[in-house]
Amino acid sequence: MNATGALGRYGEDLAARLLIRTGMTLLARNWRCGRVGEIDIVARDGDTVVVCEVKTRRAGSFQHPMAAITPAKAQRLRQLAACWLERHGGPPDGGVRVDLVGVVLPRRGAALVEHAKGVA
């Protein structure tokens, strides 16, 4: 795995821990839907399925990870959510939500992990 892949994997691990601490149940990680793409984390928050995009950056990077959801990315995440629901029995009573977890890694000290709900 290259350095960028390792950075992303570390960020996803931190995001998964945060989601579990907040009471969510992880259903899948790095779930792929053909050519549409990949969902970093699929979780359940009560009766809602959560499709979670994780963006990890080093401190001082050009773009903050929370600014990473462009309209095109949001559309792709909605398509991935529909694909997940189609393959897993349809939408639950609570529907589906798209979240973003942004991880910033400073040169020293603990990572800053932010969770934004309903971004797309």
Side-chain angles (χ1 to χ4, degrees):
M1 181 179 295
N2 64 26
T4 302
L7 180 72
R9 181 66 180 186
Y10 179 65
E12 289 176 10
D13 289 344
L14 292 175
R17 284 188 229 148
L18 171 72
L19 298 176
I20 290 168
R21 271 197 323 268
T22 62
M24 291 189 193
T25 302
L26 296 189
L27 302 175
R29 287 184 64 178
N30 305 113
W31 184 83
R32 294 201 61 76
C33 180
R35 293 185 177 168
V36 178
E38 179 180 278
I39 300 172
D40 294 329
I41 298 173
V42 181
R44 183 174 284 277
D45 186 8
D47 63 352
T48 302
V49 168
V50 178
V51 170
C52 189
E53 178 73 6
V54 180
K55 291 295 182 186
T56 306
R57 303 284 188 266
R58 294 194 184 281
S61 294
F62 178 70
Q63 182 185 46
H64 190 278
M66 300 305 271
I69 300 295
T70 64
K73 181 73 159 184
Q75 177 62 30
R76 189 182 63 77
L77 290 169
R78 286 190 291 273
Q79 289 174 326
L80 285 164
C83 187
W84 167 268
L85 293 173
E86 180 182 304
R87 294 185 185 179
H88 292 88
D93 292 340
V96 65
R97 183 178 80 220
V98 178
D99 290 3
L100 172 66
V101 175
V103 180
V104 177
L105 302 173
R107 288 190 184 271
R108 294 188 180 146
L112 174 64
V113 184
E114 298 178 68
H115 180 197
K117 296 181 180 182
V119 299

